[in-house]
Every structure is written in structure tokens, then in C-alpha cells.
Amino acid sequence: SGQISFNQISFAYPNGRKVLNGFTCDIAPRELVALVGPSGTGKSTIASLLLRLYQPSGGTIQIDGHDVSDLTLASLRGQIAVVQQDNFFLADTVRENIALARPNASSADITAAAILAGAHDFISMMPDGYDTVLAERGASLSMGQRQRIAIARAALRGCPILVFDEPTNGLDPDNEALINEAIHRLSKRATVILITHDMAVAASADRILVLSDGRIAEHGTPQELLAKG
Ligand code: ADP
Ligand code: ADP
């Protein structure tokens, strides 16, 4: 599971803004793909189409061979978890924020999600360990800490596809490194689409797709793209 095919996607927003034109790519299960390109080239739009927030004007998107437009929304939401730049946080505890992902999850599940998402460094900074951190108010966390908790929340959903939209924007290098590590760890068990305009972040992906003029202008491993200049 977690295989994604975009086939000849075209898309314009309702106001007429044309964004995609012939966007085609296949993403393998548990592949870590970085989608790069300047701001405004349509990277987030691709995520929106995958989530079916909008319908493509042409072309098809398939997950495991099933047309996204044929899936129920519940099934689609069960397959894809998204982490954005500004993640929604309640003014509740970290544990409650993480638990939103799976209301019936046990405390052990929540701790495991936090560990899996690389939140352990943040947590180990706290002398009293996980329980103390999980009892912290979401509102009292730094941006980097919140971002890591948002990743833990997404991890807990156990979806076969994870989409990260500019997950390191505005973060310091330490947080950037921790988030990259978490993304790598999660890509061992889920397909990851990593949207970024930061080539340093993209450089550790399995494959980089460069978006330009509404389609993929170039793709390859980071080494291949570097060799091409
Ligand atoms: P990226 O993620 O690469 O920065 P986006 O997918 O967010 O790009 O946006 C692609 C283009 O579509 C931009 O020109 C943006 O302003 C425009 N756009 C994004 N969302 C909307 C919308 N809801 N309505 C109209 N235009 C939009
Ligand atoms: P990104 O960080 O993806 O580049 P943008 O700054 O392009 O985001 O867009 C931020 C929000 O505004 C998004 O929800 C996008 O859908 C919306 N948006 C962007 N451009 C337009 C537009 N021209 N008309 C309406 N909504 C837009």
C-alpha cells in the first residue's frame, strides 16, 4: 500500500489561476519523494488534489490503483496524514493534542508515536521524561517543539501516506535536523511526499521532483540532480 500515481494532471483554481498542466509521476510504496520548486509553482496544490480538496480539471490520481475520486472521504482520510507549516493546536496538553489523531489510543501508543516521530530529543530535555512533556500545554511549546508533536500526531494515525508541506519552514537548524530525522524514520513504514523549497532538506530524499510550469521539469536522486548541476 501507499503507491501513488498522478497521471497527466491539469488544474486551475476556480478564479481561473492555472497551476498544473501535465503533471505526471509515480511514487512507490515507502518512497521518500521531495517535491521542490519556487514558491507559487503548485506544490501545495498537488497535496490538495491528492486529499481531494479540489478536483483536477484533467487527468487522474490513483492510490494503490484506485481512483482517488472513487474513494470515500473516510477511506481517503484514513490513507493520508498531512503535516503543514502551521499545525492546528488546541490549548490543551501535548497528550490531548496527540490523542486527537486516535481518540481510543492508549498512553503507550501516544508515547510510541512521540518516539517514532523523533520527539525523544525534545522529551529527553525534560528531566521528568515523557509523562511530564505529554502533560505540558501545547500553547507553551516552541514552534519546533510543536512541529515535532504535530509529526507525532500524524504518525499515530498510522496512514500509509504522509504529506509534509514545508515542515521545516522558519525553524532553526537543530529543529530542522530533528524533523528530517523523524521524516526519515517515518518513511521506513509510509510513503512520504515532502514539499519544500529548501534544497538542503530535499537532498536527503530518495528522489527529488522539480516542479516548473505546472509539471515535473526534472527528477532523479539527489546525486543525479547534483551531477546535472
Ligand atoms: P506552492 O505550494 O508551490 O508555493 P501553491 O500550490 O500554494 O504553490 O500555489 C500555486 C499557485 O496557485 C500560486 O500562484 C497561488 O497563489 C495560487 N493559489 C493557491 N491557492 C489558491 C486558491 N485557493 N485560489 C486561487 N489561487 C490559488
Ligand atoms: P504556500 O505556502 O503554499 O506558498 P500561499 O501563500 O500560496 O501558500 O497560500 C496560503 C493560503 O492562501 C493557501 O491556503 C492558499 O490556498 C491560499 N491562496 C493562495 N493564493 C491564493 C489566491 N490567489 N486566491 C485565493 N487563495 C489563495
Side-chain angles (χ1 to χ4, degrees):
S1 62
Q3 195 273 333
I4 308 166
S5 297
F6 292 92
N7 184 29
Q8 292 292 329
I9 298 298
S10 54
F11 178 72
Y13 277 102
N15 67 359
R17 173 81 173 85
K18 289 190 178 128
V19 183
L20 299 174
N21 179 23
F23 177 78
T24 296
C25 75
D26 287 312
I27 302 174
R30 287 179 298 285
E31 189 176 12
L32 170 46
V33 164
L35 185 56
V36 308
S39 186
T41 48
K43 303 183 296 296
S44 299
T45 301
I46 289 165
S48 300
L49 293 175
L50 181 62
L51 288 161
R52 217 168 88 193
L53 301 178
Y54 295 95
Q55 295 272 102
S57 10
T60 54
I61 305 173
Q62 294 180 322
I63 296 177
D64 302 326
H66 301 287
D67 238 335
V68 161
S69 56
D70 293 338
L71 298 176
T72 63
L73 274 182
S75 150
L76 198 57
R77 294 293 173 268
Q79 300 211 49
I80 309 171
V82 186
V83 175
Q84 291 163 306
Q85 287 174 51
D86 303 304
N87 294 284
F88 180 70
F89 263 92
L90 298 172
D92 284 323
T93 65
V94 169
R95 185 187 297 280
E96 284 158 339
N97 277 286
I98 297 179
L100 284 176
R102 278 203 0 227
N104 300 321
S106 68
S107 293
D109 287 343
I110 290 170
T111 304
I115 293 169
L116 186 69
H120 59 283
D121 285 340
F122 152 51
I123 285 164
S124 65
M125 284 191 284
M126 315 292 261
D128 302 321
Y130 291 99
D131 287 337
T132 306
V133 176
L134 292 172
E136 285 277 314
R137 298 255 135 201
S140 71
L141 304 178
S142 73
M143 227 167 87
Q145 289 168 338
R146 276 182 194 227
Q147 191 65 325
R148 280 181 272 151
I149 295 301
I151 293 173
R153 185 167 68 182
L156 189 64
R157 291 187 47 208
C159 297
I161 299 170
L162 291 168
V163 176
F164 294 91
D165 194 345
E166 302 283 4
T168 55
N169 246 22
L171 299 184
D172 57 83
D174 286 351
N175 270 302
E176 183 175 301
L178 287 169
I179 283 166
N180 271 330
E181 187 199 316
I183 291 171
H184 274 266
R185 194 166 320 158
L186 291 169
S187 75
K188 301 282 182 271
R189 51 165 216 164
T191 304
V192 174
I193 299 179
L194 171 59
I195 295 172
T196 183
H197 64 259
D198 184 344
M199 281 308 279
V201 170
S204 64
D206 296 326
R207 189 156 59 112
I208 299 177
L209 311 177
V210 183
L211 192 64
S212 174
D213 288 331
R215 67 186 72 183
I216 292 173
E218 273 191 292
H219 70 102
T221 64
Q223 293 74 16
E224 284 165 357
L225 289 189
L226 211 64
K228 281 191 207 165

mmCIF file of all heavy atoms in Angstrom, residues 155-177:
data_model
loop_
_atom_site.group_PDB
_atom_site.id
_atom_site.type_symbol
_atom_site.label_atom_id
_atom_site.label_comp_id
_atom_site.label_asym_id
_atom_site.label_seq_id
_atom_site.Cartn_x
_atom_site.Cartn_y
_atom_site.Cartn_z
ATOM 1 N N ALA A 155 1.928 10.641 12.904
ATOM 2 C CA ALA A 155 2.462 9.272 12.936
ATOM 3 C C ALA A 155 1.477 8.319 13.599
ATOM 4 O O ALA A 155 1.309 7.180 13.169
ATOM 5 C CB ALA A 155 3.789 9.246 13.688
ATOM 6 N N LEU A 156 0.819 8.807 14.624
ATOM 7 C CA LEU A 156 -0.100 7.958 15.382
ATOM 8 C C LEU A 156 -1.275 7.490 14.528
ATOM 9 O O LEU A 156 -1.888 6.468 14.817
ATOM 10 C CB LEU A 156 -0.605 8.727 16.607
ATOM 11 C CG LEU A 156 -1.419 7.919 17.622
ATOM 12 C CD1 LEU A 156 -0.569 6.831 18.255
ATOM 13 C CD2 LEU A 156 -1.975 8.834 18.705
ATOM 14 N N ARG A 157 -1.584 8.243 13.483
ATOM 15 C CA ARG A 157 -2.708 7.830 12.641
ATOM 16 C C ARG A 157 -2.383 6.576 11.841
ATOM 17 O O ARG A 157 -3.274 5.905 11.363
ATOM 18 C CB ARG A 157 -3.128 8.983 11.725
ATOM 19 C CG ARG A 157 -3.774 10.112 12.542
ATOM 20 C CD ARG A 157 -4.343 11.195 11.663
ATOM 21 N NE ARG A 157 -5.133 10.619 10.591
ATOM 22 C CZ ARG A 157 -5.311 11.187 9.404
ATOM 23 N NH1 ARG A 157 -4.762 12.345 9.146
ATOM 24 N NH2 ARG A 157 -6.043 10.599 8.496
ATOM 25 N N GLY A 158 -1.086 6.267 11.674
ATOM 26 C CA GLY A 158 -0.707 5.019 11.014
ATOM 27 C C GLY A 158 -1.083 4.948 9.548
ATOM 28 O O GLY A 158 -1.292 3.860 9.008
ATOM 29 N N CYS A 159 -1.152 6.089 8.885
ATOM 30 C CA CYS A 159 -1.542 6.110 7.470
ATOM 31 C C CYS A 159 -0.403 5.609 6.585
ATOM 32 O O CYS A 159 0.767 5.840 6.899
ATOM 33 C CB CYS A 159 -1.882 7.541 7.046
ATOM 34 S SG CYS A 159 -3.294 8.222 7.915
ATOM 35 N N PRO A 160 -0.733 4.972 5.449
ATOM 36 C CA PRO A 160 0.329 4.535 4.533
ATOM 37 C C PRO A 160 0.966 5.682 3.743
ATOM 38 O O PRO A 160 2.005 5.486 3.123
ATOM 39 C CB PRO A 160 -0.381 3.557 3.597
ATOM 40 C CG PRO A 160 -1.832 3.872 3.711
ATOM 41 C CD PRO A 160 -2.053 4.453 5.075
ATOM 42 N N ILE A 161 0.351 6.868 3.783
ATOM 43 C CA ILE A 161 0.905 8.024 3.057
ATOM 44 C C ILE A 161 0.984 9.214 4.009
ATOM 45 O O ILE A 161 0.012 9.540 4.694
ATOM 46 C CB ILE A 161 0.019 8.399 1.843
ATOM 47 C CG1 ILE A 161 -0.046 7.223 0.852
ATOM 48 C CG2 ILE A 161 0.535 9.663 1.161
ATOM 49 C CD1 ILE A 161 -1.090 7.408 -0.243
ATOM 50 N N LEU A 162 2.166 9.846 4.023
ATOM 51 C CA LEU A 162 2.354 11.058 4.822
ATOM 52 C C LEU A 162 2.776 12.195 3.905
ATOM 53 O O LEU A 162 3.660 12.018 3.066
ATOM 54 C CB LEU A 162 3.453 10.846 5.868
ATOM 55 C CG LEU A 162 3.154 9.874 7.005
ATOM 56 C CD1 LEU A 162 4.432 9.552 7.773
ATOM 57 C CD2 LEU A 162 2.117 10.481 7.941
ATOM 58 N N VAL A 163 2.128 13.347 4.057
ATOM 59 C CA VAL A 163 2.488 14.531 3.280
ATOM 60 C C VAL A 163 2.998 15.580 4.254
ATOM 61 O O VAL A 163 2.312 15.922 5.220
ATOM 62 C CB VAL A 163 1.272 15.085 2.499
ATOM 63 C CG1 VAL A 163 1.649 16.367 1.769
ATOM 64 C CG2 VAL A 163 0.732 14.043 1.515
ATOM 65 N N PHE A 164 4.209 16.057 4.004
ATOM 66 C CA PHE A 164 4.784 17.143 4.806
ATOM 67 C C PHE A 164 4.882 18.372 3.926
ATOM 68 O O PHE A 164 5.571 18.349 2.907
ATOM 69 C CB PHE A 164 6.185 16.766 5.303
ATOM 70 C CG PHE A 164 6.186 15.619 6.279
ATOM 71 C CD1 PHE A 164 6.321 14.318 5.839
ATOM 72 C CD2 PHE A 164 6.045 15.854 7.634
ATOM 73 C CE1 PHE A 164 6.320 13.255 6.747
ATOM 74 C CE2 PHE A 164 6.036 14.804 8.544
ATOM 75 C CZ PHE A 164 6.175 13.507 8.098
ATOM 76 N N ASP A 165 4.175 19.436 4.288
ATOM 77 C CA ASP A 165 4.198 20.661 3.487
ATOM 78 C C ASP A 165 5.056 21.698 4.211
ATOM 79 O O ASP A 165 4.632 22.278 5.208
ATOM 80 C CB ASP A 165 2.766 21.168 3.269
ATOM 81 C CG ASP A 165 2.694 22.235 2.175
ATOM 82 O OD1 ASP A 165 3.746 22.782 1.788
ATOM 83 O OD2 ASP A 165 1.574 22.521 1.714
ATOM 84 N N GLU A 166 6.251 21.910 3.709
ATOM 85 C CA GLU A 166 7.220 22.859 4.295
ATOM 86 C C GLU A 166 7.358 22.660 5.809
ATOM 87 O O GLU A 166 7.199 23.598 6.591
ATOM 88 C CB GLU A 166 6.797 24.305 3.991
ATOM 89 C CG GLU A 166 6.670 24.639 2.511
ATOM 90 C CD GLU A 166 8.008 24.856 1.793
ATOM 91 O OE1 GLU A 166 9.067 24.663 2.443
ATOM 92 O OE2 GLU A 166 7.982 25.180 0.604
ATOM 93 N N PRO A 167 7.710 21.445 6.226
ATOM 94 C CA PRO A 167 7.710 21.158 7.665
ATOM 95 C C PRO A 167 8.803 21.868 8.451
ATOM 96 O O PRO A 167 8.707 21.952 9.666
ATOM 97 C CB PRO A 167 7.920 19.640 7.725
ATOM 98 C CG PRO A 167 8.674 19.321 6.476
ATOM 99 C CD PRO A 167 8.138 20.272 5.438
ATOM 100 N N THR A 168 9.833 22.359 7.771
ATOM 101 C CA THR A 168 10.945 22.986 8.500
ATOM 102 C C THR A 168 10.976 24.506 8.325
ATOM 103 O O THR A 168 11.909 25.160 8.769
ATOM 104 C CB THR A 168 12.302 22.402 8.046
ATOM 105 O OG1 THR A 168 12.406 22.542 6.626
ATOM 106 C CG2 THR A 168 12.418 20.937 8.409
ATOM 107 N N ASN A 169 9.943 25.040 7.674
ATOM 108 C CA ASN A 169 9.911 26.494 7.463
ATOM 109 C C ASN A 169 10.009 27.274 8.766
ATOM 110 O O ASN A 169 9.264 27.013 9.698
ATOM 111 C CB ASN A 169 8.592 26.875 6.785
ATOM 112 C CG ASN A 169 8.832 27.407 5.402
ATOM 113 O OD1 ASN A 169 9.865 27.126 4.811
ATOM 114 N ND2 ASN A 169 7.883 28.161 4.885
ATOM 115 N N GLY A 170 10.932 28.217 8.783
ATOM 116 C CA GLY A 170 11.035 29.093 9.946
ATOM 117 C C GLY A 170 11.678 28.455 11.163
ATOM 118 O O GLY A 170 11.666 29.041 12.237
ATOM 119 N N LEU A 171 12.226 27.239 11.014
ATOM 120 C CA LEU A 171 12.843 26.579 12.166
ATOM 121 C C LEU A 171 14.363 26.718 12.121
ATOM 122 O O LEU A 171 14.961 26.883 11.063
ATOM 123 C CB LEU A 171 12.460 25.102 12.198
ATOM 124 C CG LEU A 171 10.960 24.811 12.333
ATOM 125 C CD1 LEU A 171 10.733 23.315 12.442
ATOM 126 C CD2 LEU A 171 10.352 25.527 13.530
ATOM 127 N N ASP A 172 14.981 26.616 13.309
ATOM 128 C CA ASP A 172 16.431 26.690 13.395
ATOM 129 C C ASP A 172 17.044 25.361 12.922
ATOM 130 O O ASP A 172 16.343 24.356 12.824
ATOM 131 C CB ASP A 172 16.835 26.987 14.838
ATOM 132 C CG ASP A 172 16.268 25.938 15.773
ATOM 133 O OD1 ASP A 172 16.879 24.866 15.913
ATOM 134 O OD2 ASP A 172 15.170 26.178 16.342
ATOM 135 N N PRO A 173 18.358 25.361 12.641
ATOM 136 C CA PRO A 173 18.998 24.147 12.111
ATOM 137 C C PRO A 173 18.851 22.919 13.011
ATOM 138 O O PRO A 173 18.718 21.810 12.498
ATOM 139 C CB PRO A 173 20.468 24.549 11.977
ATOM 140 C CG PRO A 173 20.448 26.038 11.858
ATOM 141 C CD PRO A 173 19.282 26.502 12.672
ATOM 142 N N ASP A 174 18.856 23.091 14.316
ATOM 143 C CA ASP A 174 18.704 21.929 15.211
ATOM 144 C C ASP A 174 17.341 21.284 15.025
ATOM 145 O O ASP A 174 17.219 20.067 14.890
ATOM 146 C CB ASP A 174 18.849 22.353 16.681
ATOM 147 C CG ASP A 174 20.297 22.645 17.035
ATOM 148 O OD1 ASP A 174 21.183 22.350 16.187
ATOM 149 O OD2 ASP A 174 20.538 23.165 18.137
ATOM 150 N N ASN A 175 16.311 22.120 15.003
ATOM 151 C CA ASN A 175 14.968 21.588 14.799
ATOM 152 C C ASN A 175 14.818 21.004 13.400
ATOM 153 O O ASN A 175 14.164 19.981 13.215
ATOM 154 C CB ASN A 175 13.916 22.678 15.020
ATOM 155 C CG ASN A 175 13.473 22.730 16.468
ATOM 156 O OD1 ASN A 175 12.993 21.734 16.999
ATOM 157 N ND2 ASN A 175 13.656 23.866 17.101
ATOM 158 N N GLU A 176 15.423 21.660 12.433
ATOM 159 C CA GLU A 176 15.374 21.162 11.054
ATOM 160 C C GLU A 176 15.954 19.743 10.996
ATOM 161 O O GLU A 176 15.370 18.845 10.388
ATOM 162 C CB GLU A 176 16.145 22.105 10.129
ATOM 163 C CG GLU A 176 16.069 21.676 8.680
ATOM 164 C CD GLU A 176 16.744 22.673 7.743
ATOM 165 O OE1 GLU A 176 16.332 23.861 7.729
ATOM 166 O OE2 GLU A 176 17.682 22.271 7.045
ATOM 167 N N ALA A 177 17.095 19.544 11.668
ATOM 168 C CA ALA A 177 17.743 18.228 11.661
ATOM 169 C C ALA A 177 16.869 17.178 12.350
ATOM 170 O O ALA A 177 16.729 16.053 11.868
ATOM 171 C CB ALA A 177 19.107 18.315 12.337
#
